[in-house]
Amino acid sequence: MVAIVDSGSTKSDWIILDEFKNIFLKAETIGFNPNFISKELIVPEIEKNTSLNFVKNSITKIYFYGSGCGVQKNCDIIIEEAGRVFTNAEIIVKEDLTAAAYAAYRGKPAIVCILGTGSNSCYFDGQNIKIQLPSLGFLVGDEGSGSAIGKQLVRRFFMQKLPEDLSREFEQTYKLTVDEALKNMYHTTRPNAYLADFNKFVVERKEHPYLRQMVHEEMLNFFDYQVLPYKESKDAEINFIGSIAYYYEDILREAAAELNLNVGQIVQKPIDSLVDYHIQYIL
């Protein structure tokens, strides 16, 4: 059996294929971004999933695409810890941008972007992935992402920038104190996922003029920092992977049109397209 895994900072989607390349099972775990999660949690979190536990000895190969796996040290952590569970498997680890490029590929070169809990971009010509810009994480990067939008919302609430109606609704919804917010942002293992969770509030009210403008500005930031530096951006189709791109699709396309950029397809969950790519080109 072969496992294909798309792991973000919030959650991981697993698909297990049998020897005939048919889907045997689908599973979900938390995200295994080594920049945020303690490596000691990886084994127990995988073993917590009864479906994965059931087939762990039958899996001979794992293609793991993960957020935070753009550096070898983090790849090694995933290989070592996952290897403790899947003892018969060869484990291949690549960063999530590679998964996005594969999942969004439709036979022609394109700029491929991730807009989920974090954000990233690359150029994929069908064979080679060009990553021109570094991923700086949620503290100084991740423009347009769920964590960036959540950060804007929390900051504007506490600094009394939200309109009165939104401020009142935010306070009633979360009853959030400064101490609680700081604890979750600075003293927990997944602060980016914590901030991204506030997008539920924004998505439910995205037609509010203030929030719509806030998200629009964040999308412009994303294009400015993570797309426009690619010389191909003016001509190539720009495809997106991730829930943030999906939920704010109309605002994302408006921001792109403002910059004369051509947004192509937007895929919320790349795992199915990623599996299709593997069946066609890799397995």
Side-chain angles (χ1 to χ4, degrees), residues 55-76:
V55 298
K56 64 182 181 181
N57 294 325
S58 300
I59 294 175
T60 58
K61 200 159 195 174
I62 299 175
Y63 294 93
F64 184 100
Y65 300 90
S67 177
C69 292
V71 295
Q72 190 58 47
K73 179 185 72 171
N74 287 349
C75 293
D76 292 341

Side-chain angles (χ1 to χ4, degrees), residues 172-189:
Q172 291 171 349
T173 300
Y174 295 106
K175 298 178 174 57
L176 186 64
T177 65
V178 172
D179 287 346
E180 182 184 353
L182 291 175
K183 176 184 176 182
N184 281 288
M185 288 187 289
Y186 291 98
H187 301 288
T188 60
T189 57

